[in-house]
């Protein structure tokens, strides 16, 4: 591929000065992004259930159970009256048919007033980002003052359908009026009709799985297997440090009915380069570079954030965590640029905010695959890519690794598709507080060749 000529030398990950070890620093005094006549919208609080490998402790639940737990955790942490919210929005990707508007079912289950409207959005891996920005839009438009946004994904029990022919036969059976019609329909069933349709993390438009696409993208940008394994190991190592140091404050404890209390993510598993090197290619066989160890795993989990106008938050006695500032959504070719959302979104959102890469103190990018992260970093560091695809005079520039995903990421913490966006935003807010920075940037890719980026500003301490 043409990208391969713009191979950028390997990232070498040195040990990173870790947040809990730096002395507390005062927020740097840069300009604020507040604008005259524009409402300040704040993140008051963000929580999430522990993110667990699918098929583990949450296996017998339903999606609304996890979403309800996140909402109850948010209520508990904020002391928010259950009728003080104007609207509730949730994101999810693979919907449970019985609770298609999972936002409403979870809100009722969590004890919110039945007078509060709720709807569910879906935008692949940026579904809860869409929930949050929809909340921002409602507040900016003057429709609402307080909105709860969140997301949930439950991969332990995904809908598995009968084949199309079998579904048609069953629906016809339902309408059959005579015994003869019923027997005729039953007699038409063939063994092939009984094979189920399994859901796949694949593009409808290209029929390619995301892992296969990630492998091709890594190859196009000359990302080696070693680079991917190094990045994955970095993610797990930093996540373990953050977990042990108590930095993942957004995680709430959840008593799983009939099971134990769960209080931490269970997918964080620092390994060694040697162990990771033994794994075979997971998608492009036998010579691919994407493996189970350098990919995010199927995860169950839910998240929730409280978004308010600054005026309302202060009137209710809250101390906000951060301002939610500019955001963009981007979209590109789902075949060859499926996972390049961060490369397209980052320069656009910085331009909107009037900031440069050097103004950003905290970066949190969604880690779908180590190869996807490395490919984005190489695209951002390529003058040719910037000129050819982004219409820029030069490259975007890469985030310094000492500011990048310092508490782990989706590769290690887990990635419940519909819930990750809120984790990213809440983590930026907490890291800005901890590190004394002023601006954070969230970026994520998503199925369909889409992406999201948002600038977050620290709330004055």
């Amino acid at each position: 591929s043409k990208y391969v000529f713009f191979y950028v030398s390997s990232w070498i990950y040195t040990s990173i000065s870790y947040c809990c070890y730096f002395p507390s620093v005062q927020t740097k005094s840069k300009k604020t992004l507040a604008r005259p006549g524009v409402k300040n919208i704040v993140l008051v609080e963000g929580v999430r259930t522990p993110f667990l490998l699918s098929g583990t402790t949450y296996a017998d639940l339903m999606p609304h159970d996890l979403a309800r737990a996140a909402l109850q955790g948010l209520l508990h942490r904020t002391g928010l009256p259950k009728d003080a919210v104007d609207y509730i929005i949730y994101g999810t990707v693979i919907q449970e048919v019985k609770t298609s508007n999972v936002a409403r079912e979870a809100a009722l289950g969590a004890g919110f007033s039945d007078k509060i409207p709720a709807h569910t959005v879906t935008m692949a891996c940026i579904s809860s980002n869409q929930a949050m920005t929809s909340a921002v839009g409602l507040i900016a438009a003057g429709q609402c003052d307080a909105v709860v946004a969140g997301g949930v994904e439950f991969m332990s029990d995904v809908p598995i359908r009968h084949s199309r022919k079998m579904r048609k036969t069953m629906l016809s059976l339902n309408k059959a009026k005579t015994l003869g019609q019923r027997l005729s329909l039953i007699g038409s069933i063939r063994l092939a009709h009984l094979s189920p349709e399994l859901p796949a993390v694949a593009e409808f438009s290209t029929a390619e799985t995301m892992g296969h696409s990630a492998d091709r993208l890594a190859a196009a940008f000359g990302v080696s297997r070693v680079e991917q394994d190094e990045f994955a190991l970095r993610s797990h190592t930093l996540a373990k440090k953050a977990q042990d140091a108590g930095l993942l404050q957004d995680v709430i404890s959840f008593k799983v009915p009939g099971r134990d209390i769960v209080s931490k993510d269970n997918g964080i598993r620092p390994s060694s380069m040697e162990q990771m090197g033994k794994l075979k290619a997971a998608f492009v066989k036998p010579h691919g570079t994407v493996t189970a160890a350098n990919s995010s795993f199927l995860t169950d989990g839910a998240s929730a954030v409280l978004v308010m106008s600054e005026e309302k938050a202060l009137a209710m006695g809250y101390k906000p965590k951060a301002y939610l500032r500019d955001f963009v959504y981007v979209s590109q070719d789902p075949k060859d640029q499926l996972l390049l959302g961060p490369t397209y979104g980052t320069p656009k959102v910085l331009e909107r905010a009037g900031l440069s890469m050097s103004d950003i103190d905290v970066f949190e990018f969604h880690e779908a695959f180590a190869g996807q992260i490395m490919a984005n970093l190489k695209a951002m560091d390529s003058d040719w890519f910037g000129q050819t695809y982004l219409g820029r005079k030069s490259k975007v520039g890469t985030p310094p690794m000492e500011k990048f995903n310092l508490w782990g990421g989706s590769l290690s913490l887990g990635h419940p598709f519909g819930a990750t966006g809120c984790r990213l935003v809440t983590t930026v807010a907490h890291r800005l507080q901890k590190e004394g920075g002023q601006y954070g940037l969230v970026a994520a890719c998503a199925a369909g060749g889409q992406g999201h980026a948002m600038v977050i500003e620290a709330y004055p301490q």
Side-chain angles (χ1 to χ4, degrees):
S1 167
K2 51 200 166 193
Y3 305 143
V4 88
F5 299 114
F6 297 87
Y7 181 91
V8 180
S9 59
S10 301
W11 290 96
I12 299 167
Y13 296 113
T14 53
S15 57
I16 285 172
S17 298
Y18 199 57
C19 307
C20 61
Y21 304 122
F22 353 126
S24 190
V25 251
Q26 287 302 306
T27 302
K28 303 177 190 81
S29 54
K30 299 174 190 164
K31 61 177 182 179
T32 175
L33 293 184
R35 293 187 183 124
V38 177
K39 251 184 207 179
N40 278 331
I41 297 169
V42 295
L43 172 74
V44 175
E45 185 59 88
V47 301
R48 63 182 176 88
T49 67
F51 287 175
L52 303 189
L53 290 147
S54 63
T56 58
T57 311
Y58 295 152
D60 297 326
L61 302 180
M62 285 179 69
H64 72 283
D65 294 319
L66 287 178
R68 179 181 65 219
L71 289 172
Q72 286 173 330
L74 188 68
L75 285 171
H76 178 71
R77 193 168 282 191
T78 56
L80 184 74
K82 290 179 181 178
D83 58 356
V85 173
D86 303 312
Y87 208 98
I88 295 167
I89 311 170
Y90 251 70
T92 196
V93 179
I94 299 178
Q95 290 182 326
E96 162 61 55
V97 182
K98 291 177 185 171
T99 57
S100 57
N101 186 5
V102 72
R104 178 64 171 166
E105 305 309 331
L108 292 172
F112 279 93
S113 164
D114 59 13
K115 301 285 187 282
I116 301 170
H119 80 266
T120 300
V121 296
T122 189
M123 201 174 180
C125 304
I126 50 177
S127 294
S128 63
N129 307 68
Q130 183 58 254
M132 285 183 288
T133 58
S134 297
V136 168
L138 285 169
I139 295 169
Q143 290 287 319
C144 302
D145 285 316
V147 180
V148 168
V152 62
E153 208 64 46
F154 190 67
M155 300 302 292
S156 288
D157 181 28
V158 294
I160 297 171
R161 304 202 300 179
H162 280 290
S163 68
R164 184 76 180 256
K165 284 180 177 173
M166 190 64 183
R167 296 200 303 270
K168 283 175 83 170
T169 304
M170 291 165 82
L171 288 168
S172 300
L173 266 171
N174 210 29
K175 294 174 188 170
K177 290 186 169 58
T178 67
L179 181 61
Q181 286 174 330
R182 289 194 191 98
L183 290 172
S184 170
L185 283 163
I186 290 166
S188 72
I189 296 170
R190 298 288 173 266
L191 200 59
H193 295 185
L194 301 176
S195 62
E197 278 183 13
L198 298 169
V201 186
E203 289 300 302
F204 183 77
S205 59
T206 65
E208 185 178 36
T209 65
M210 193 174 274
H212 197 283
S213 186
D215 213 320
R216 284 198 305 109
L217 187 72
F221 281 93
V223 181
S224 69
R225 166 74 181 269
V226 169
E227 285 176 283
Q228 292 176 60
D229 287 353
E230 281 176 347
F231 186 84
L233 183 58
R234 172 191 191 268
S235 181
H236 281 272
T237 304
L238 291 178
K240 184 77 171 82
K241 281 185 183 173
Q243 190 179 62
D244 291 348
L247 296 174
L248 306 180
Q249 305 156 19
D250 52 339
V251 180
I252 54 164
S253 293
F254 172 35
K255 171 70 177 82
V256 181
R259 308 283 287 267
D260 299 332
I261 292 174
V262 181
S263 55
K264 61 182 189 177
D265 308 320
N266 73 355
I268 302 172
R269 295 176 182 179
S271 180
S272 66
M273 288 296 289
E274 187 185 10
Q275 288 298 111
M276 293 167 80
K278 291 176 184 174
L279 293 183
K280 292 182 177 174
F283 300 99
V284 178
K285 297 171 182 178
H287 301 302
T289 55
V290 174
T291 69
N294 59 38
S295 309
S296 55
F297 48 88
L298 296 179
T299 314
D300 299 336
S303 55
V305 296
L306 176 57
V307 180
M308 286 181 159
S309 64
E310 183 181 26
E311 195 180 0
K312 177 74 169 178
L314 297 178
M316 289 187 70
Y318 289 119
K319 177 70 188 288
K321 288 182 181 288
Y323 293 107
L324 302 181
R325 298 300 193 192
D326 293 275
F327 61 87
V328 296
Y329 287 92
V330 292
S331 203
Q332 53 285 336
D333 170 23
K335 184 163 176 59
D336 292 324
Q337 300 194 352
L338 179 71
L339 303 171
L340 288 179
T343 300
Y344 282 85
T346 297
K348 277 193 172 178
V349 82
L350 289 174
E351 192 179 332
R352 276 187 71 94
L355 297 174
S356 66
M357 287 290 265
S358 60
D359 291 317
I360 304 298
D361 303 299
V362 164
F363 291 88
E364 285 291 331
F365 280 26
H366 162 48
E367 303 169 350
F369 302 88
Q372 159 259 330
I373 286 284
M374 300 307 296
N376 273 279
L377 295 178
K378 293 192 177 198
M380 292 166 86
D381 202 30
S382 163
D383 284 324
W384 174 82
F385 192 90
Q387 291 158 2
T388 309
Y389 288 101
L390 304 177
R392 297 169 58 84
K393 289 180 180 158
S394 60
K395 63 189 179 187
V396 175
T398 51
M401 296 312 287
E402 63 271 16
K403 297 180 179 181
F404 189 85
N405 291 17
L406 289 193
W407 295 356
S410 301
L411 288 171
S412 47
L413 300 170
H415 173 41
F417 305 141
T420 288
C422 291
R423 175 190 69 75
L424 292 169
V425 168
T426 305
T427 300
V428 166
H430 286 159
R431 278 189 57 201
L432 286 171
Q433 285 182 337
K434 183 81 181 165
E435 297 168 30
Q438 185 169 358
Y439 294 121
L441 190 143
V442 159
C445 58
Q450 305 201 94
H452 169 76
M454 179 190 262
V455 170
I456 291 136
E457 183 178 351
Y459 198 83
Q461 296 297 301

